[in-house]
Amino acid sequence: MADRKQLKLGAFMRPISIHTGAWRYPGAWPDANFNFGHIKRLAQTLERGKFDAFFMADHLAVLNMPVQALKRSHTVTSFEPFTLLSALAGATEHIGLVATASTTYDAPYHIARRFASLDHISGGRAGWNIVTTANPDSALNFNLDEHVDYATRYRRAREFYDVVTGLWDSFADDAFIRDVESGIYFDPEKMHVLDHKGEQLSVRGPLNIARPVQGWPVIVQAGASEPGRQLAAETAEVVFAASHTLADGKSFYADVKGRMEKLGRARDELKILPGAFVVVGDTLEEARATRERLDSLVHPDSGLASLSIALGTDATHFDLDAPLPDIPDTNASKTGRANTIALAKREGLTVRQLAQRLGGYSGLQFVGTPQTIADEMEQWLVEEGSDGFNIMFPYLPGGLDDFVDKVIPELQRRGIFRTEYEGKTLRENLGLKRPANRFFPG
Amino acid sequence: MADRKQLKLGAFMRPISIHTGAWRYPGAWPDANFNFGHIKRLAQTLERGKFDAFFMADHLAVLNMPVQALKRSHTVTSFEPFTLLSALAGATEHIGLVATASTTYDAPYHIARRFASLDHISGGRAGWNIVTTANPDSALNFNLDEHVDYATRYRRAREFYDVVTGLWDSFADDAFIRDVESGIYFDPEKMHVLDHKGEQLSVRGPLNIARPVQGWPVIVQAGASEPGRQLAAETAEVVFAASHTLADGKSFYADVKGRMEKLGRARDELKILPGAFVVVGDTLEEARATRERLDSLVHPDSGLASLSIALGTDATHFDLDAPLPDIPDTNASKTGRANTIALAKREGLTVRQLAQRLGGYSGLQFVGTPQTIADEMEQWLVEEGSDGFNIMFPYLPGGLDDFVDKVIPELQRRGIFRTEYEGKTLRENLGLKRPANRFFPG
């Protein structure tokens, strides 16, 4: 059993859940967005469940949605992720802390310092989820009139990564001597001035902080596009995939790991973790009923906004209790429309049910008993659909408690998930090596 | 006794102390720059001593000093303050958390979000020390070839303040209804879009976070220059002054409070806290010996670098064991040179001793017994030299323990310092009112 490949589990956390109906679920904490005590309790439960990492996504603007949907959304406002994860560093001991930070709307010196600081403070538990920030409204909050174009954003992200990792290597691991007798605090020969001057960035350095505990905080990405996959294969150590089916997952997995091999990286230097929405019941019927109850808490106004976006057509005048009518072609994403129409047909959903599903959460889901959920996870692991998952809990704290109390023990029983943390750092737990210092390779 | 004016006490913290010899002092923690456990212990001791706030200064570059001094300095590298204070929020309950953040090298949307987050997470204990970043090397780390000029920096700081406080007011205090029954999470009529377009900043808003617990985190500044004083009188609620003598302190106090009155602000809406280096002994002789021992741990190479800067002339060839020679006029700061020459004459210091004093710490100091220190502090308070102090500890943890165990009880006995925190928030403890929301004044 001990030799079996191990699942890696992140927790894709929002204070109330990603599901927009979750704040109305019985026992939920509707005020968790601004209640640190609640979130601390969630982090400590995740740690009890031996999760690898607490992951926070981010938005640099209030989400752009019709006011009828906006006013019903608990996802509009919350803590800035880096602040929250730093506070959690002081309240946890083992779990990795992965914060999202944008390469388009921040400066590499700030990002390098903050993540290095978090890594020192947490004893080597920091991870940086690199995003280029897709939401065009963000630009308006950062001194621009329009969004930075896609290609420029990706080129900047690649350069930004080089600068940040270069800054982390400003000091050799053994630069700080602190010899009280001679009065020498550090060896200046072991300090490197980066002097980066590139296409978009000019950063002298050195960083004013010792090399992080992990060498570099763990590099995380979520891009599924062509340049996103390439950036991941070149630089990422964890990828949050958005595969909706096992077939999608296997294709994505083979593609990204194949790109790594071409670049000379070993396949296990990157862990692929698709987001998975997990609803646990003691029976299959109970789990499905929970999912339906949760979806029923999504107001049709919220659901119709999501449905309109997915279909690329205004769905607000559709008959809520009829099947989905025929949808004309538009220039919106064809994949999104096709997936949505297929979902409605496959499950025989009315417009209301479809809208509520989309308004809640419509990606990869495991809805079942601890056994069926573990079966599905094991299949993904064994068939190389993923190296684990980034779990989304349907409602909090109950959905998380159920996962930790019921699913985790089943995964442990099968020998595919740890019973104790393997190491002290996030890298050690994920089985990732500590990178060498590029300026002081000795 | 209860009616006496109360001292407000901040702690000007560096992990090892501001004094450059402190890391070599017996019992010091030379690795505290990167040891969160040590700093947590310091914060908890400050809380035991009922300090108002834990304050962290900041630098956006490795300090520019000759390598002979640099290699001996423990101040070169440390945690990024905001990360550290966020982590301390999870490990403390009462003390205010004041982090420095630059208006020249950061974006108002980021600053507003982070400080609002810290305020929510800490239950209303955040403060923002607004700086324009004087160190010209910082520019080179932030995509610029040269430093932003003084006037532009100050105009940007004023505009930045308006934007950040405007963003904090994005939501009315009662915007978040969270009515589970109707499914309305917040009232969109109580969300304000800032739409700021000014000389240097363009920020649409709204901020994606609820209004901070304190309305606004406490606004802190340190500027002593003419535009710095004016900015403080207009906007600050705490000022960290650099007065070296009681006479200086009274003059600064009268000036800033006078400016406030002209602007229609009440004098007690701003607390003036000069930095004060405090060395406690059971006798005056013991305190002085501690101070001398500490200075003796400053290597002459470090001290001569500081002395050269203060005199505006190269001091490295002076005879270390002779009195200070005559110094020709230069175009360096005349005040700095005059103060330094006066200090050497007043205390009869050799070049070595003078260099070690300057290399260690040469601002306002109280060196004595708990009684003489309390006498001096009380005199400053009563004669309107200050509203309290931002205390610098000579070495850690010992210098802090002595202050909390010996000086605090003496101040409490005199009725000029709290025995319990007055409130839950930093504002309540400082006696500052919660600002009204400019867009939702009801």
Side-chain angles (χ1 to χ4, degrees):
Chain A
M1 299 274 278
D3 294 341
R4 299 201 61 189
K5 191 179 170 195
Q6 298 290 300
L7 280 170
K8 302 301 175 187
L9 294 181
F12 181 98
M13 296 302 291
R14 291 206 184 160
I16 296 178
S17 153
I18 195 171
H19 194 287
T20 53
W23 68 277
R24 302 174 71 192
Y25 200 85
W29 292 324
D31 69 336
N33 276 346
F34 301 113
N35 185 319
F36 178 64
H38 287 338
I39 300 177
K40 191 159 112 176
R41 147 94 156 77
L42 301 177
Q44 290 168 345
T45 304
L46 289 168
E47 210 161 62
R48 181 163 62 79
K50 316 294 179 199
F51 268 76
D52 286 270
F54 185 114
F55 166 73
M56 280 288 279
D58 196 27
H59 301 286
L60 295 176
V62 167
L63 295 180
N64 184 9
M65 52 174 111
V67 73
Q68 284 303 312
L70 188 70
K71 72 181 182 182
R72 300 178 180 283
S73 171
H74 64 75
T75 63
V76 171
T77 56
S78 188
F79 296 126
E80 191 278 324
F82 193 83
T83 316
L84 177 62
L85 291 179
S86 302
L88 288 176
T92 55
E93 284 177 58
H94 302 287
I95 195 163
L97 303 163
V98 181
T100 298
S102 169
T103 55
T104 305
Y105 299 112
D106 213 327
Y109 203 84
H110 284 317
I111 296 289
R113 274 185 93 201
R114 285 195 197 106
F115 282 87
S117 295
L118 181 61
D119 205 52
H120 282 288
I121 287 171
S122 64
R125 297 188 281 132
W128 172 30
N129 179 38
I130 304 182
V131 297
T132 67
T133 306
N135 177 0
D137 287 346
S138 304
L140 306 180
N141 290 330
F142 289 89
N143 255 19
L144 297 176
D145 291 328
E146 55 182 40
H147 197 35
V148 180
D149 71 82
Y150 187 87
T152 307
R153 292 208 316 273
Y154 267 89
R155 285 203 314 281
R156 181 176 162 106
R158 190 64 186 75
E159 187 181 349
F160 200 108
Y161 165 86
D162 284 338
V163 173
V164 168
T165 52
L167 288 170
W168 283 334
D169 287 347
S170 291
F171 291 91
D173 285 314
D174 59 354
F176 292 88
I177 305 161
R178 303 189 187 101
D179 181 30
V180 169
E181 195 54 42
S182 69
I184 306 293
Y185 196 75
F186 79 99
D187 178 355
E189 298 291 317
K190 294 189 173 172
M191 177 177 85
H192 178 85
V193 179
L194 186 66
D195 252 334
H196 174 90
K197 283 191 203 299
E199 182 209 332
Q200 296 186 48
L201 298 169
S202 163
V203 180
R204 190 179 68 173
L207 197 66
N208 54 1
I209 186 162
R211 194 159 191 256
V213 172
Q214 297 184 100
W216 303 351
V218 174
I219 303 293
V220 180
Q221 270 168 62
S225 65
E226 171 62 33
R229 288 174 186 217
Q230 191 58 28
L231 186 65
E234 289 174 17
T235 64
E237 298 176 297
V238 172
V239 167
F240 292 146
S243 318
H244 283 210
T245 64
L246 178 54
D248 287 352
K250 287 159 82 165
S251 155
F252 181 82
Y253 192 96
D255 178 57
V256 172
K257 300 250 171 169
R259 288 173 193 251
M260 291 176 69
E261 286 182 333
K262 282 190 196 133
L263 293 161
R265 290 184 73 196
R267 289 166 72 93
D268 65 357
E269 289 177 21
L270 185 158
K271 309 297 173 187
I272 294 182
L273 310 182
F277 187 81
V278 180
V279 183
V280 188
D282 289 335
T283 64
L284 209 54
E285 293 65 38
E286 186 191 307
R288 286 183 184 144
T290 297
R291 169 80 207 203
E292 275 167 34
R293 179 168 188 182
L294 193 56
D295 284 353
S296 77
L297 296 172
V298 177
H299 194 280
D301 286 349
S302 303
L304 288 171
S306 304
L307 181 59
S308 300
I309 291 166
L311 295 174
T313 195
D314 181 5
T316 56
H317 302 296
F318 291 177
D319 179 352
L320 279 174
D321 296 306
L324 190 67
D326 286 339
I327 310 296
D329 265 12
T330 70
N331 57 7
S333 155
K334 288 190 199 314
T335 323
R337 189 168 63 244
N339 282 346
T340 305
I341 294 169
L343 169 65
K345 290 217 169 116
R346 191 168 64 243
E347 302 197 19
L349 302 175
T350 63
V351 168
R352 183 193 304 274
Q353 288 169 323
L354 183 64
Q356 287 177 326
R357 176 72 63 86
L358 291 175
Y361 178 75
S362 60
L364 175 63
Q365 59 171 0
F366 300 137
V367 178
T369 66
Q371 287 70 32
T372 68
I373 292 166
D375 286 345
E376 291 191 90
M377 289 188 167
E378 190 169 351
Q379 188 183 11
W380 278 70
L381 182 68
V382 170
E383 297 185 11
E384 299 203 330
S386 74
D387 297 306
F389 297 93
N390 204 20
I391 306 291
M392 298 158 172
F393 305 101
Y395 52 91
L396 293 165
L400 166 55
D401 290 342
D402 284 348
F403 191 93
V404 166
D405 293 332
K406 298 174 180 176
V407 180
I408 292 284
E410 178 60 25
L411 297 172
Q412 290 169 331
R413 199 187 58 73
R414 295 174 186 218
I416 57 171
F417 191 62
R418 68 171 67 85
T419 52
E420 290 302 334
Y421 284 101
E422 293 86 353
K424 291 187 169 218
T425 69
L426 177 56
R427 282 186 180 279
E428 287 165 2
N429 291 326
L430 287 172
L432 296 168
K433 68 180 184 196
R434 188 175 188 276
N437 188 315
R438 83 175 71 154
F439 308 118
F440 304 99
Chain B
M1 297 277 277
D3 294 339
R4 300 201 60 188
K5 192 178 169 194
Q6 298 289 300
L7 280 171
K8 303 300 175 188
L9 293 182
F12 181 99
M13 296 301 290
R14 292 206 184 160
I16 297 177
S17 154
I18 196 171
H19 194 286
T20 53
W23 69 276
R24 302 174 71 191
Y25 199 85
W29 293 324
D31 69 337
N33 276 346
F34 301 112
N35 185 319
F36 179 63
H38 287 338
I39 299 177
K40 192 159 111 175
R41 147 94 157 75
L42 301 177
Q44 290 167 344
T45 304
L46 289 168
E47 211 162 60
R48 180 163 63 79
K50 315 293 179 199
F51 268 76
D52 287 87
F54 185 115
F55 165 75
M56 280 288 279
D58 195 28
H59 301 286
L60 296 176
V62 167
L63 295 180
N64 184 9
M65 53 174 109
V67 72
Q68 285 304 311
L70 188 70
K71 72 181 182 184
R72 299 179 180 282
S73 171
H74 63 75
T75 64
V76 171
T77 56
S78 189
F79 297 124
E80 190 278 325
F82 193 84
T83 316
L84 177 62
L85 292 179
S86 301
L88 288 176
T92 55
E93 285 176 54
H94 302 287
I95 195 163
L97 303 164
V98 181
T100 298
S102 169
T103 55
T104 304
Y105 299 113
D106 213 327
Y109 203 84
H110 284 317
I111 297 288
R113 274 185 93 200
R114 285 194 198 107
F115 282 87
S117 295
L118 182 60
D119 205 52
H120 282 288
I121 287 171
S122 65
R125 297 187 281 133
W128 172 30
N129 179 38
I130 303 181
V131 299
T132 67
T133 306
N135 177 0
D137 287 345
S138 304
L140 307 179
N141 290 330
F142 289 89
N143 256 19
L144 297 175
D145 292 328
E146 54 182 40
H147 197 35
V148 180
D149 72 82
Y150 187 86
T152 307
R153 292 208 315 273
Y154 266 88
R155 284 203 314 280
R156 181 176 162 106
R158 190 65 185 75
E159 187 181 349
F160 201 108
Y161 164 87
D162 284 337
V163 173
V164 168
T165 52
L167 287 170
W168 283 333
D169 287 346
S170 290
F171 291 91
D173 285 314
D174 58 355
F176 292 88
I177 305 161
R178 303 189 187 101
D179 181 29
V180 169
E181 196 54 41
S182 68
I184 305 294
Y185 196 76
F186 80 98
D187 178 355
E189 298 291 316
K190 295 189 173 172
M191 177 177 86
H192 178 86
V193 179
L194 186 66
D195 252 334
H196 174 90
K197 284 191 203 296
E199 182 208 333
Q200 297 186 47
L201 298 169
S202 163
V203 181
R204 191 179 68 172
L207 197 66
N208 53 1
I209 187 162
R211 194 158 191 256
V213 173
Q214 297 184 98
W216 303 351
V218 173
I219 303 293
V220 180
Q221 270 167 64
S225 64
E226 171 62 31
R229 288 175 186 217
Q230 190 58 27
L231 186 64
E234 289 175 17
T235 65
E237 299 175 295
V238 172
V239 167
F240 292 146
S243 318
H244 282 210
T245 63
L246 179 54
D248 287 351
K250 287 159 80 164
S251 155
F252 181 81
Y253 192 96
D255 178 58
V256 172
K257 301 251 171 170
R259 289 174 193 251
M260 290 177 70
E261 286 182 333
K262 282 190 195 134
L263 292 161
R265 291 184 72 196
R267 290 165 70 94
D268 65 357
E269 290 177 21
L270 185 158
K271 309 297 174 189
I272 295 181
L273 310 183
F277 187 81
V278 180
V279 183
V280 188
D282 290 333
T283 64
L284 209 52
E285 294 65 39
E286 187 191 306
R288 285 181 184 146
T290 297
R291 169 80 206 201
E292 275 168 35
R293 178 169 189 182
L294 194 56
D295 285 352
S296 78
L297 296 172
V298 176
H299 194 279
D301 287 348
S302 303
L304 288 171
S306 304
L307 182 59
S308 299
I309 292 165
L311 294 173
T313 195
D314 181 6
T316 56
H317 302 296
F318 291 177
D319 179 352
L320 279 174
D321 297 304
L324 190 67
D326 286 337
I327 310 296
D329 265 8
T330 71
N331 56 8
S333 156
K334 289 191 199 310
T335 323
R337 189 169 63 244
N339 282 345
T340 305
I341 294 169
L343 169 66
K345 292 216 169 117
R346 190 168 65 244
E347 302 197 19
L349 302 176
T350 63
V351 168
R352 182 193 305 273
Q353 289 168 323
L354 183 63
Q356 287 176 324
R357 176 71 64 85
L358 290 175
Y361 178 77
S362 60
L364 174 64
Q365 59 171 359
F366 300 137
V367 178
T369 65
Q371 287 70 33
T372 68
I373 292 166
D375 286 345
E376 291 191 90
M377 289 188 167
E378 189 169 353
Q379 187 182 12
W380 278 70
L381 182 68
V382 170
E383 297 185 12
E384 299 203 328
S386 74
D387 298 306
F389 298 94
N390 204 20
I391 306 292
M392 298 158 173
F393 305 101
Y395 52 90
L396 292 165
L400 165 55
D401 290 342
D402 284 348
F403 191 93
V404 166
D405 293 332
K406 298 174 180 175
V407 180
I408 291 284
E410 178 61 25
L411 297 173
Q412 290 169 331
R413 199 188 58 72
R414 295 173 187 218
I416 57 171
F417 190 61
R418 68 172 65 86
T419 52
E420 291 300 335
Y421 284 102
E422 295 86 353
K424 291 187 170 220
T425 69
L426 176 56
R427 281 187 181 280
E428 287 164 2
N429 291 325
L430 287 171
L432 297 168
K433 66 178 185 198
R434 188 175 189 276
N437 188 315
R438 82 175 73 155
F439 307 118
F440 304 98

